[in-house]
Amino acid sequence: MTIKKKILLIDDDKDFLFATKLILEKGGYEVFLAEDGKSGVEMWKSITPDLAIIDMMMETWGEGFSVLNKIRATEAGKNTPLFMLSAVDLQGPYGSFEPPPEFPKVNRVLHKPIKADELLRIVAQEIGEK
Amino acid sequence: MSANNDKPLILIIDDEEALRDGCRQVLEKSGYEVITAAQGAEGIKMARERVPDMVFVDLKMPNMSGMEIMEILSKDIPDTILVMITGYASIVSAVEAMQKGAYDYLPKPFSPDQLRVLTKRGLEHRTLRLEAKKLKEEKDLMQKNFITFVSHEMRSPLVVVRQYFETLKEIAADKFDNDIKEIMERCSKRLENLEELVEHWLDISRIENGTFAQRKEAVMLSSVIKRAIEEMAPVCRKRKITVEADVPDNLPAVKGDEESLVRVFTNLIGNASKYTPEEGKIKISVEKDDYYIRINVTDTGCGIPADKLPFVFEPFFRVKGKEERDKGSGLGLAFCKKIMESHHGRIEMSSREGEGTTCLLTFPVEVETGK
């Protein structure tokens, strides 16, 4: 019996959570959902998933960063795989995401909408096959 | 306006006591609040503290000249109406005062009526100017908000729907028969085009609105073209089209925004690939002289009919290809034109139906002026 790898999705967009969960489940992963930063961090602590995917902008601009910081601040979270999601707005007020050098580590930055095959490939690369 | 009441506040800066008192009497009777100063330094201090609606300054003052005071006030309190009180027949000074920021001048000797009329006119002018400034700020804010609104409100649903299509493709690939998969693929493509249209339209709106961030740095066109070709390589490969580039490495730098220029080229290569059949060719060649760099993007595609050629840069104008694959946004060339214009360059299209199309981009070269 193979134990499924766990993935936690943190995003306030319910549609995005639903759509992405289905893709990842098809890929053989067990998926957990959190709809805001606070419950995202709590869930991360209680589940300690193999991978967490965090949306950059939730209720407020940059809330994703605060989630990232909190997870990285924990002992278990120092080196855990974390992906950031952005809805590309390259010319808009938020510009494109370029983490400053002293920023906590982000393993990957993904842009919505994510192609299903690309997502599965990148996740497999990061945490191994189902 | 003075902070405490609705009366307009007038400041008189003049070393002559009689003049100060006389003006104060006339203006207070007209319902204005008046403050006075006998010399420049005191006047400037009062002006900065009270921010009057209007200031009268005498040209000839012992310590600091009226001109100096005027210059300082026009910088410190730009919304205040400044009037220079001039001596008899000193028109030259009056003109100089206007150039330094004065609204008008008042030659001595003047009557109470002349003072009243000028004050009334000055205050009305100030009100109008402030209103116009506020309206312009509101308009700019609205435009910015509109663009922000479009950018979020229109894009979000598009992103969501496309994400769902991705999910459908993944989870239902084996459950659906080919017709349904075909429909899904077509819907997905149309959505992608719609997204592209929104992006282009947003960019063009931002260029017009002045909020499109464009750098002004030295750009190497050879690396711009190289990047564009790399980005478009997968698309060209899929359509079995070869891209040849004959770009010298020693091209002089061009001043502009690298990212926008890369997008111009990816647009042109993308267009060329859409209208060129399989096994076709896209060629990029460069010519230069002392003042211009000319880049040609030529394809071996179906070409553009002569009667349609003048309209290709119009927004939403599309030439119907023989195959209706990949309907573009119709804004790609309009975007390219705006970018070239903002780089002080030109874009021109020439074509022969059945043979191919050439797009010519002309960039001005940074002319070294030696010294």
Side-chain angles (χ1 to χ4, degrees), chain B residues 72-354:
Chain B
I72 294 175
L73 290 179
S74 70
K75 288 197 193 84
D76 286 353
I77 45 174
D79 288 334
T80 301
I81 299 292
L82 305 172
V83 176
M84 183 76 90
I85 300 174
T86 62
Y88 180 68
S90 46
I91 295 294
V92 172
S93 320
V95 170
E96 198 188 327
M98 312 269 284
Q99 284 170 342
K100 289 215 156 70
Y103 162 73
D104 207 343
Y105 64 97
L106 185 59
K108 289 190 282 203
F110 52 86
S111 69
D113 262 343
Q114 282 173 311
L115 176 62
R116 265 191 291 263
V117 166
L118 180 52
T119 305
K120 185 156 178 273
R121 189 162 41 85
L123 289 172
E124 275 168 10
H125 179 84
R126 182 175 176 275
T127 308
L128 283 174
R129 214 166 61 181
L130 285 177
E131 239 177 74
K133 191 163 139 190
K134 199 175 93 182
L135 283 174
K136 180 167 190 294
E137 279 170 9
E138 264 175 38
K139 172 173 169 262
D140 283 341
L141 188 61
M142 259 172 73
Q143 262 192 329
K144 252 201 198 131
N145 284 341
F146 176 69
I147 289 176
T148 310
F149 163 79
V150 167
S151 115
H152 290 164
E153 299 304 314
M154 276 186 83
R155 275 170 167 173
S156 302
L158 283 175
V159 168
V160 167
V161 176
R162 280 188 61 198
Q163 190 65 72
Y164 272 130
F165 266 103
E166 282 300 311
T167 303
L168 279 176
K169 272 196 265 186
E170 184 60 35
I171 67 173
D174 35 9
K175 294 199 196 99
F176 290 153
D177 66 23
N178 286 331
D179 280 345
I180 297 187
K181 286 201 267 194
E182 170 100 19
I183 291 177
M184 277 169 44
E185 189 57 45
R186 289 189 189 213
C187 281
S188 207
K189 209 74 199 31
R190 289 301 212 111
L191 281 172
E192 219 178 290
N193 289 339
L194 183 55
E195 237 189 4
E196 199 186 77
L197 184 149
V198 171
E199 290 303 316
H200 275 155
W201 181 40
L202 272 182
D203 284 339
I204 293 179
S205 305
R206 282 187 181 123
I207 296 177
E208 280 174 3
N209 175 251
T211 53
F212 188 83
Q214 285 207 79
R215 294 202 163 100
K216 284 206 164 45
E217 297 167 336
V219 175
M220 297 310 294
L221 288 172
S222 48
S223 77
V224 165
I225 295 174
K226 189 155 164 267
R227 276 183 61 188
I229 294 178
E230 270 169 25
E231 255 183 63
M232 297 305 287
V235 169
C236 293
R237 218 178 3 247
K238 202 158 93 178
R239 296 179 181 158
K240 296 204 179 68
I241 294 174
T242 41
V243 182
E244 256 175 47
D246 181 20
V247 181
D249 282 323
N250 61 350
L251 279 180
V254 154
K255 199 187 256 173
D257 182 59
E258 179 157 344
E259 295 306 311
S260 322
L261 290 176
V262 171
R263 287 175 60 185
V264 167
F265 281 95
T266 55
N267 253 294
L268 293 178
I269 296 173
N271 279 356
S273 75
K274 280 181 204 162
Y275 292 97
T276 301
E278 290 192 356
E279 311 297 330
K281 205 153 60 154
I282 298 177
K283 185 157 188 286
I284 301 179
S285 59
V286 183
E287 291 161 10
K288 71 170 168 75
D289 60 34
D290 285 336
Y291 298 104
Y292 298 106
I293 298 177
R294 291 185 190 80
I295 305 185
N296 281 292
V297 180
T298 307
D299 64 55
T300 57
C302 55
I304 302 170
D307 60 340
K308 303 271 194 293
L309 205 47
F311 303 106
V312 290
F313 295 108
E314 297 288 312
F316 304 113
F317 183 83
R318 286 184 195 75
V319 179
K320 280 201 158 63
K322 296 226 166 61
E323 293 154 57
E324 298 260 318
R325 60 181 173 173
D326 313 299
K327 286 188 194 319
S329 67
L331 287 176
L333 284 178
F335 172 78
C336 293
K337 185 159 179 252
K338 287 248 179 258
I339 296 292
M340 288 308 292
E341 280 168 4
S342 66
H343 283 78
H344 307 292
R346 259 199 339 261
I347 179 170
E348 294 156 276
M349 213 66 129
S350 59
S351 183
R352 262 207 278 268
E353 252 192 300

Side-chain angles (χ1 to χ4, degrees), chain A residues 2 14-15 18 22 26 32 39 48 61 68 71 81 84 90 93 96 98 100 106 111 124 129-130:
Chain A
T2 41
K14 292 196 183 71
D15 284 309
F18 181 40
L22 290 173
K26 184 81 185 336
F32 299 86
S39 49
T48 50
W61 159 233
L68 176 70
I71 295 179
M84 286 295 271
L90 284 175
S96 71
E98 272 283 348
V106 170
H111 303 290
E129 302 285 352
K130 45 189 157 168

